[in-house]
Amino acid sequence: MAEESMIRMEGLTKAYGEKRAVSDLTLEIEKGEVFGLLGPNGAGKTTTTLMLLGLTEPTAGKAFIDGKDCTRDPIGVKRIVGYLPDNVGFYQDMTGRENLRFTGRLNGLPEEVIEARAQELLEKVGMLEAADKKTGTYSRGMRQRLGVADVLMKDPKVVIMDEPTLGIDPEGIRELMLMIRGLADEDGRTILISSHQLYQVQQICDRVGLFVEGRLIACGHIEELARQMQQEGHYVLETAAVPNDDGFGTLLKQLGNVERVEHTGEYYVIYSRTDLRRELIRKSLQAGYTVSHLRQRGSDLDEIYRRYFEKGEKEHVESDQRKGGRFLSFRKNR
């Protein structure tokens, strides 16, 4: 294992009968990294998390956290990993502070450490004012904040979060994202976020892994994934012109290598196999249009995911058809 690798998965697979929830997952996450495991519901993200926590055994492959085997040493793994589920549960008739004390005692911490750490963490997550109110009165956003504090009570090296922004208002999401980023930047913790909410995750992750049907179909920095999409001939251009009439839309459809053109609000969005910016400007001027807006959409994670998702689904279907002997693919190997 690489010296700085904190989480490592080698061919990790989980099957339920003929259905593979996770298929041959190989991935390394570095110490102090914020990694986003992204995909729709049912993609295999939660199953992956359960295997990392030692709560379900893999059908094949291995997983390690800080060198500890997640299957053979689940207790050792739990000592260094904090887990924040998508719906945090607390004893509702106890206050936030009392819940943190309870967690500290479960983890065998001395009372003086529990009191000092609870106070410190309540301040860190902005919950001091509500610390002595019963958690049954908390909003979802407040429970998520307390959940972060609860996870940190045992001072874990790794924090795994399942849909941490689900059901939180925009301002709450912004504050939570900043808090999560700080856990890596200020505390040096390794963060694994499982989510289908791409935009929020995009803001704080160092790298992302895109999950489709239990398979990791792409992994890397968002900018790297965008460049790879362009190298494979996938471009998305956003534009507008004066006058912004139907004739401009017709002109766009007649540009070379255009797959489709969409008109969304004030902008036209062009999906193409090449970079069309120069051709668009030249032909617009020739036709009497002034281009008022032009942006190559490359770092939009929603678009990157959509492209990879379509590609992964296509390859998955073709693979199934080949196995069944019903289809012969003439796709070129990349």
Side-chain angles (χ1 to χ4, degrees):
M1 181 168 64
E3 186 178 345
E4 293 299 314
S5 176
M6 181 59 74
I7 301 175
R8 178 164 59 104
M9 292 166 260
E10 298 177 348
L12 200 62
T13 299
K14 182 65 177 181
Y16 297 97
E18 295 183 359
K19 169 68 175 177
R20 283 195 171 195
V22 178
S23 182
D24 196 27
L25 175 57
T26 297
L27 175 67
E28 288 197 21
I29 300 172
E30 297 177 1
K31 179 181 179 181
E33 183 177 19
V34 179
F35 188 93
L37 193 60
L38 310 179
N41 294 330
K45 307 186 301 298
T46 299
T47 302
T48 300
T49 297
L50 293 176
M51 288 190 285
L52 289 175
L53 294 171
L55 297 176
T56 187
E57 291 191 14
T59 306
K62 295 181 179 180
F64 302 88
I65 297 182
D66 198 25
K68 295 176 173 59
D69 190 308
C70 297
T71 303
R72 295 177 179 271
D73 188 14
I75 300 300
V77 167
K78 289 180 177 66
R79 288 195 182 102
I80 61 170
V81 177
Y83 175 56
L84 184 69
D86 60 346
N87 191 11
V88 190
F90 292 105
Y91 290 104
Q92 297 192 16
D93 59 344
M94 292 166 56
T95 67
R97 191 186 304 274
E98 288 169 342
N99 271 279
L100 294 186
R101 287 171 179 158
F102 182 70
T103 296
R105 289 167 188 146
L106 284 178
N107 283 279
L109 300 179
E111 286 298 319
E112 61 273 16
V113 172
I114 290 173
E115 289 302 319
R117 190 170 294 175
Q119 180 71 13
E120 175 189 344
L121 291 174
L122 286 165
E123 183 175 1
K124 187 182 186 74
V125 301
M127 287 290 291
L128 275 179
E129 290 186 8
D132 298 309
K133 296 178 181 178
K134 293 186 177 182
T135 57
T137 66
Y138 285 8
S139 67
R140 185 180 179 89
M142 293 169 70
R143 289 200 305 273
Q144 288 296 94
R145 285 169 170 271
L146 186 64
V148 173
D150 190 72
V151 161
L152 297 179
M153 277 299 291
K154 63 179 177 182
D155 194 22
K157 293 183 179 181
V158 175
V159 178
I160 298 176
M161 300 181 171
D162 190 1
E163 300 288 1
T165 62
L166 199 62
I168 304 179
D169 63 81
E171 180 60 21
I173 290 174
R174 187 189 70 82
E175 293 174 352
L176 183 61
M177 291 294 98
L178 288 173
M179 191 189 311
I180 293 172
R181 187 68 245 184
L183 296 180
D185 293 342
E186 299 166 17
D187 301 346
R189 304 182 202 273
T190 304
I191 314 294
L192 173 60
I193 301 175
S194 167
S195 181
H196 72 276
Q197 297 185 324
L198 308 186
Y199 176 71
Q200 290 87 355
V201 172
Q202 177 177 357
Q203 300 174 67
I204 63 166
C205 285
D206 298 302
R207 289 188 302 146
V208 297
L210 306 184
F211 238 42
V212 175
E213 295 288 336
R215 295 170 297 118
L216 188 67
I217 59 173
C219 179
H221 298 276
I222 294 168
E223 294 78 10
E224 293 173 353
L225 298 180
R227 283 196 299 270
Q228 185 175 337
M229 279 283 94
Q230 292 183 350
Q231 290 169 0
E232 294 181 0
H234 297 292
Y235 290 81
V236 183
L237 189 63
E238 189 179 84
T239 189
V242 178
N244 204 14
D245 55 20
D246 292 341
F248 183 61
T250 301
L251 181 150
L252 298 178
K253 294 174 184 177
Q254 294 171 350
L255 298 175
N257 294 308
V258 170
E259 293 177 343
R260 72 179 187 278
V261 176
E262 296 176 355
H263 195 186
T264 56
E266 59 183 311
Y267 299 131
Y268 284 91
V269 180
I270 310 164
Y271 298 86
S272 65
R273 295 182 295 278
T274 58
D275 187 346
L276 299 178
R277 284 175 291 185
R278 288 187 179 180
E279 182 185 359
L280 187 153
I281 292 172
R282 178 173 55 82
K283 290 191 174 181
S284 296
L285 288 173
Q286 291 174 351
Y289 291 97
T290 300
V291 176
S292 59
H293 175 82
L294 188 65
R295 183 174 76 92
Q296 192 82 59
R297 293 193 342 198
S299 58
D300 187 327
L301 186 54
D302 288 273
E303 177 59 29
I304 293 169
Y305 185 80
R306 189 185 69 81
R307 288 283 188 171
Y308 272 108
F309 185 86
E310 290 176 352
K311 178 183 175 185
E313 285 285 274
K314 180 182 177 182
E315 291 178 352
H316 186 56
V317 169
E318 289 177 355
S319 174
D320 287 346
Q321 289 175 329
R322 284 197 304 273
K323 289 176 183 176
R326 299 185 301 274
F327 180 78
L328 177 62
S329 173
F330 291 94
R331 287 185 303 112
K332 294 181 180 179
N333 293 326
R334 296 198 181 274

